[in-house]
Amino acid sequence: MRTLKLVAVSAGLSSPSSTRLLADRLLQAARYRLAEQEYAVDVEVVELRDLAVDIAHHFVTGFPSGKLQEAIDTVTGADGVIAVTPVFTASYSGLFKSFFDLLDPTALTGVPVLIGATGGTARHSLVLDHALRPLFAYLRALTVPTAVYAASEDWGSGGDEYTEGLPARINRAGYEFADAVAARPAREADEDEVVPFERQLAGLRLD
């Protein structure tokens, strides 16, 4: 049985976080869909708030910490990525953008990505198409058609999980994402992988 690795990147700053909650719900929907198709699924969540200092240091020093490098490797090694950010000033958060700025521009080429965002009002929902889609288009990812925006009022609105409201949008997006992940050919290990120069230097650092 083929095992698929799904990774969610959450840029929520609070704990608990509606951004993390949305990421978890999307993961759950995708995992359920893949289980229906008899895939084994490994899931992992990367919490960017725990990496904020490491990300800032990387921009100054040019070297990732071990914890940050592990997170980067986790995301770039996934079969599918769920990326969720809170909306700040009508766009993704600076922390969210800073993390994806650290990825090699080709690292997510062809990887299915499901985008999501949270905010206080539904008026910011266009951030999905005006900010997040262009970002992942630049990274050459395969962004699934349905994206999910959750405003504060969406969490208490209820609705049937198949026909209306936030639960239905989560299920539709999660199923599309799962189908895209399942349809993508398995990655083959590249024995001749070229290690980026900055990573080689990082490996030579003395503690």
Side-chain angles (χ1 to χ4, degrees), residues 124-174:
H124 290 305
S125 61
L126 290 177
V127 69
L128 295 168
D129 291 325
H130 290 193
L132 272 75
R133 286 195 190 278
L135 170 62
F136 288 101
Y138 174 79
L139 294 173
R140 304 179 187 179
L142 177 64
T143 309
V144 299
T146 300
V148 180
Y149 179 84
S152 297
E153 63 266 22
D154 288 327
W155 295 108
S157 62
D160 181 82
E161 62 178 326
Y162 298 108
T163 61
E164 60 182 314
L166 180 59
R169 299 201 305 273
I170 288 173
N171 276 344
R172 183 169 64 250

Side-chain angles (χ1 to χ4, degrees), residues 2-198:
R2 180 182 169 195
T3 299
L4 298 172
K5 180 180 179 182
L6 305 182
V7 175
V9 179
S10 170
L13 299 180
S14 59
S15 182
S17 161
S18 60
T19 303
R20 171 62 189 268
L21 178 58
L22 178 58
D24 287 342
R25 294 284 178 85
L26 292 169
L27 267 178
Q28 182 180 24
R31 190 174 190 175
Y32 179 80
R33 176 66 167 176
L34 288 169
E36 284 186 328
Q37 301 175 46
E38 300 184 345
Y39 286 100
V41 183
D42 287 337
V43 299
E44 190 166 346
V45 178
V46 174
E47 284 273 17
L48 295 187
R49 71 188 188 95
D50 297 332
L51 297 168
V53 174
D54 300 83
I55 291 170
H57 284 170
H58 188 306
F59 278 107
V60 174
T61 66
F63 297 104
S65 66
K67 184 169 64 171
L68 177 57
Q69 187 62 61
E70 181 180 356
I72 292 172
D73 292 342
T74 295
V75 172
T76 57
D79 293 299
V81 175
I82 296 172
V84 187
T85 179
V87 175
F88 291 152
T89 321
S91 188
Y92 36 59
S93 72
L95 180 61
F96 182 87
K97 179 63 162 57
S98 294
F99 176 76
F100 284 100
D101 280 346
L102 300 181
L103 272 56
D104 183 281
T106 64
L108 293 180
T109 299
V111 176
V113 172
L114 168 54
I115 56 175
T118 58
T121 171
R123 291 194 300 271
H124 290 305
S125 61
L126 290 177
V127 69
L128 295 168
D129 291 325
H130 290 193
L132 272 75
R133 286 195 190 278
L135 170 62
F136 288 101
Y138 174 79
L139 294 173
R140 304 179 187 179
L142 177 64
T143 309
V144 299
T146 300
V148 180
Y149 179 84
S152 297
E153 63 266 22
D154 288 327
W155 295 108
S157 62
D160 181 82
E161 62 178 326
Y162 298 108
T163 61
E164 60 182 314
L166 180 59
R169 299 201 305 273
I170 288 173
N171 276 344
R172 183 169 64 250
Y175 284 20
E176 287 178 3
F177 173 67
D179 290 345
V181 172
R184 185 168 181 261
R187 291 187 176 187
E188 295 182 1
D190 186 357
E191 296 180 357
D192 299 320
E193 178 187 2
V194 177
V195 179
F197 181 64
E198 61 270 17

